[in-house]
Amino acid sequence: MDEQALSVRDAIITRRSIKSFNGQPVEQREITDILEDAIWAPNHGNRNPWRFVLAAEEEYQQFLDILRDFGIPKWKELSDETLEKQMSKFTNASAAMFVIVPEDARQKQRLEDFAAASMLIQNIQLLAWDKGIGTCWKTPGFLDDPKFRSLLGIQPGERMISMLQFGHFDESPKAKPRTAVEELVTFWQPTES
Ligand SMILES: Cc1cc2nc3c(=O)[nH]c(=O)nc-3n(C[C@H](O)[C@H](O)[C@H](O)COP(=O)(O)O)c2cc1C
């Protein structure tokens, strides 16, 4: 897809989570360029509460080989065929970026940091969409697996909140309808007392 330069509104309302990629490569540099812009997400105290582990290009293929043999407990009993079906959720993407946030001992800060990193992820998804690159925020159970965490160099006090997949795609999925705004908004009015 060509450079798009969508309006902010168009990027927000046309973006879809892409779960079926077409195998066309996404370069590491394209993702770090997107990240350069995405880090302008608001974050309280400018704590920059995020870091990233990126597997792209050749390294993504090596990552997939390790994931396949990883021995995720739930995958151990699977037949080869079912395992490959599970793996296809990952093999059809071209890259994955793990988003890591500090787990602040203070609840307020921890929530703020998670919220800020989520905004950064939305920035990434919109910027990628504008370039014709699809993404999907995935939270597979193995993100919290100690062995998997150590494979990615995750330190105590850190949490992986997203395995963000990148890839090109042929078709944009249909929009999933959202709950209507009028069902969600209460127009506050002062009560007489
Ligand atoms: C916090 C979060 C976690 C998600 N985890 C997964 C996941 O594990 N697997 C998946 O297929 N999609 C996951 N998604 C993507 C949602 O399924 C997707 O956003 C939703 O279906 C709405 O579709 P849309 O993004 O195309 O509008 C996640 C999205 C968010 C925000």
Side-chain angles (χ1 to χ4, degrees):
M1 219 184 276
D2 294 326
E3 283 279 299
Q4 290 176 300
L6 295 167
S7 70
V8 173
R9 177 175 186 269
D10 280 348
I12 291 170
I13 67 176
T14 63
R15 181 211 57 81
R16 304 281 174 266
S17 292
I18 300 298
K19 303 184 189 195
S20 183
F21 299 98
N22 65 13
Q24 218 183 297
V26 177
E27 287 172 22
Q28 179 173 294
R29 183 59 197 265
E30 292 179 272
I31 298 173
T32 53
D33 282 352
I34 289 170
L35 202 47
E36 294 281 353
D37 295 339
I39 52 172
W40 290 97
N43 63 100
H44 197 179
N46 202 20
R47 288 196 288 272
N48 292 242
W50 42 58
R51 71 179 189 91
F52 313 95
V53 174
L54 174 59
E57 302 177 18
E58 180 58 29
E59 283 74 18
Y60 185 62
Q61 301 311 316
Q62 291 167 350
F63 165 79
L64 291 175
D65 291 341
I66 291 176
L67 186 65
R68 187 178 280 105
D69 297 338
F70 188 65
I72 290 162
K74 260 184 24 196
W75 291 7
K76 277 193 182 137
E77 297 110 49
L78 301 180
S79 65
D80 286 354
E81 201 185 325
T82 325
L83 175 63
E84 273 319 303
K85 215 168 151 204
Q86 276 291 333
M87 279 300 297
S88 69
K89 294 179 188 168
F90 308 105
T91 50
N92 82 35
S94 296
M97 190 168 77
F98 298 87
V99 180
I100 300 148
V101 296
E103 290 197 290
D104 201 301
R106 301 162 296 178
Q107 283 301 316
K108 177 179 180 287
Q109 282 77 358
R110 188 182 292 204
L111 249 167
E112 288 172 348
D113 289 350
F114 178 75
S118 301
M119 298 180 93
L120 175 140
I121 293 171
Q122 171 75 336
N123 282 353
I124 295 174
Q125 294 193 290
L126 296 176
L127 290 161
W129 189 253
D130 186 53
K131 293 177 189 297
I133 297 172
T135 60
C136 189
W137 180 334
K138 293 239 162 128
T139 46
F142 57 75
L143 291 188
D144 290 325
D145 182 297
K147 203 170 131 210
F148 188 79
R149 282 171 57 93
S150 94
L151 179 75
L152 267 70
I154 310 304
Q155 300 299 310
E158 292 186 319
R159 184 102 193 249
M160 262 185 287
I161 64 162
S162 174
M163 174 182 191
L164 192 55
Q165 297 182 317
F166 294 83
H168 289 280
F169 55 98
D170 297 324
E171 276 176 39
S172 176
K174 270 209 197 130
K176 292 182 182 157
R178 302 305 205 245
T179 306
V181 170
E182 57 263 33
E183 288 180 44
L184 301 171
V185 180
T186 305
F187 295 101
W188 180 82
Q189 290 192 320
T191 47
E192 284 168 33
S193 57

